[in-house]
């Protein structure tokens, strides 16, 4: 608001809008601006309009509107020079349409300003996608503000804050590696670490703390409530640094070349080739080491994908090829019948592929739960950032027991890897019969 106030003072006749998604937030922002106005010298104070609520008129003719998107007074029928949207992550689709229309009213002139700000919100949701576009340089510039930029987030020796343990009690334990990282790389001091320790305990654990007080533009989007996978485990893998591929191009990543006598399993999830839809994926696991060694992600027609689906599995010691027997997967299966190590979900009936709905939803549920357990225990080493990020946006749906990808996100690599992990049951005899899917 201070920046908007200064720009309007320096530019006579300019117009600014701040838009919110809730009337109560609009009222709160108006009250804050009016308190800010009262602190100014009498000669610099702004007069509220008597004709329109939430409109403030400057002596130089500039005007500042604080309104609710979708409210009666939202209509922007003139050119504006400053547009500010707050808590964008909470806006619904109609409110976002209002924002998009409002942006068209801002001309490309020196000094004009368009600002959207919000907490992180849902991983893979609208605001996250907008952030990624901006960060990739496709739209506007991004700015991330971590919690330690707030001066009040600090505990000092001898503090007398009610119901807060003493500084000495909070800091009794040695610094963790992550706390050392925060101090060494991010410049935090011990008072900030003490505050962080207290808030982690008070908020119910590390994952809930990071959701409320994000420390980077990855943890800011953590969907802890309802996330199917263990977010702590996923975040530790992302933060710890991932293994670099020995080969990669736009479609293929290889972390390990095939080893003599090693046994491999390849999971295949097939998309329809629509650029806006699901992709086709091959994930290969070294079952001797439990490591993900290959990832292929393409967006081509299933008939064309049939070649990719068998090429690398063939190279990896004729890996057990497990193609999902559903939808577009049947197209690829029909082209892969001559593959020398194709998985059949029903060998007696000669039915090829991994069938996700055999015995109701049991096969899918077993696959997901076993993938979750393998990642958490470290039994399966995931090298792909794409897989881990898909885990963060894979949630239990409210009111149901079903877990699926959040709207607008993908789960292709996650499913392909989960299918490949099922291969260990059919290539090693020490897996108990009770754990087998078919």
């Amino acid at each position: 608001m201070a920046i908007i106030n200064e720009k309007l003072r320096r530019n006579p006749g300019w117009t600014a809008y701040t838009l919110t998604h809730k009337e109560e937030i609009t009222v709160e922002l108006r009250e804050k601006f009016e308190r800010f106005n009262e602190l100014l010298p009498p000669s610099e104070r702004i007069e509220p309009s008597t004709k329109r609520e939430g409109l403030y008129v400057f002596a130089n003719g500039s005007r500042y509107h604080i309104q609710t998107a979708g409210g009666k007074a939202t209509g922007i029928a003139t050119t504006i020079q400053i547009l500010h949207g707050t808590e964008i992550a909470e806006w619904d689709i109609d409110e976002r349409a209002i924002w998009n229309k409002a942006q068209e009213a801002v001309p490309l002139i020196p000094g004009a300003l368009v600002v959207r700000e919000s907490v992180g919100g849902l991983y893979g949701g609208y605001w996250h996608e907008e952030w990624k576009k901006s960060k990739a340089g496709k739209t506007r510039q991004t700015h991330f503000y971590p919690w330690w930029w707030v001066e009040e987030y600090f505990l000092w020796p001898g503090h007398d804050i009610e119901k807060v343990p003493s500084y000495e009690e909070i800091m009794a334990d040695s610094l963790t590696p992550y706390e050392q990282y925060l101090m060494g790389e991010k410049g935090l001091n011990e008072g900030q670490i003490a505050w962080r320790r207290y808030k982690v305990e008070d908020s119910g654990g590390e994952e809930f703390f990071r959701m409320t007080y994000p420390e980077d533009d990855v943890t800011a989007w953590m969907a802890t409530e309802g996330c199917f996978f263990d977010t702590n485990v996923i975040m530790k893998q992302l933060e710890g640094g991932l293994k670099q591929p020995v080969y990669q191009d736009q479609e293929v990543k290889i972390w390990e070349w095939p080893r003599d006598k090693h046994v491999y399993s390849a999971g295949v999830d097939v998309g329809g080739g629509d650029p806006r839809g699901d992709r086709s994926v091959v994930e290969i696991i070294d079952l001797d080491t439990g490591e993900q060694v290959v990832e292929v992600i393409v967006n081509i027609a299933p008939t064309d994908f049939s070649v990719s689906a068998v090429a690398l599995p063939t190279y990896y010691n004729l890996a057990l090829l497990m193609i999902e027997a559903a939808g577009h997967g049947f197209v690829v299966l029909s082209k892969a019948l001559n593959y020398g190590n194709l998985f059949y979900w029903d060998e007696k009936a000669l039915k090829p592929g991994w069938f996700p709905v055999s015995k109701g939803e049991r096969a899918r549920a077993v696959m997901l739960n076993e993938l979750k357990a393998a990642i958490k225990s470290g039994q399966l080493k995931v090298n792909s950032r794409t897989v881990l990020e898909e885990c963060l946006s894979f949630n239990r749906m409210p009111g149901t027991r079903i877990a699926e990808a959040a709207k607008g996100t993908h789960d292709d690599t996650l499913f392909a890897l989960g299918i490949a992990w099922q291969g260990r049951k059919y290539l090693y005899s020490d897996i108990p019969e009770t754990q087998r899917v078919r």
Side-chain angles (χ1 to χ4, degrees), residues 120-130 132 221-223 389-390 392-395 405-410:
L122 177 66
Y123 194 101
Y126 164 79
W127 182 228
H128 184 222
E129 292 303 312
E130 290 294 292
K132 289 197 296 184
W221 309 99
M222 284 171 55
E389 290 184 346
E390 284 187 5
L392 289 177
S393 58
F394 196 78
N395 306 321
K407 185 177 180 180
T409 67
H410 291 283

Side-chain angles (χ1 to χ4, degrees), residues 76-148:
I76 300 175
T78 186
T79 299
I80 63 176
Q81 290 74 32
I82 302 172
L83 179 61
H84 167 223
T86 183
E87 296 300 342
I88 293 288
E90 303 295 329
W91 290 31
D92 63 24
I93 190 167
D94 293 330
E95 292 159 349
R96 296 199 295 266
I98 291 170
W99 172 265
N100 291 336
K101 186 175 181 180
Q103 285 188 111
E104 297 174 3
V106 184
L108 294 174
I109 61 172
L113 183 66
V114 176
V115 177
R116 295 183 294 177
E117 47 85 5
S118 180
V119 296
L122 177 66
Y123 194 101
Y126 164 79
W127 182 228
H128 184 222
E129 292 303 312
E130 290 294 292
W131 171 268
K132 289 197 296 184
K133 288 178 187 176
S134 295
K135 195 172 181 182
K138 296 179 180 178
T139 53
R140 303 179 187 273
Q141 189 174 2
T142 59
H143 300 278
F144 174 76
Y145 301 98
W147 63 261
W148 55 79

Side-chain angles (χ1 to χ4, degrees), residues 54-80:
L55 169 61
Y56 304 90
V57 182
F58 289 65
N60 64 4
S62 291
R63 302 158 73 86
Y64 182 28
H65 301 257
I66 303 177
Q67 305 293 346
T68 307
K72 294 180 180 179
T74 306
I76 300 175
T78 186
T79 299
I80 63 176

Side-chain angles (χ1 to χ4, degrees), residues 44-63:
E44 296 182 15
R45 289 177 187 165
I46 305 121
E47 290 298 323
S49 170
T50 57
K51 297 181 179 180
R52 187 173 183 180
E53 189 176 16
L55 169 61
Y56 304 90
V57 182
F58 289 65
N60 64 4
S62 291
R63 302 158 73 86

Side-chain angles (χ1 to χ4, degrees), residues 357-371:
V357 291
S358 58
K359 301 181 181 179
E361 284 288 328
R362 183 170 177 266
R364 180 184 187 275
V366 168
M367 181 271 285
L368 287 171
N369 281 301
E370 292 185 354
L371 178 64

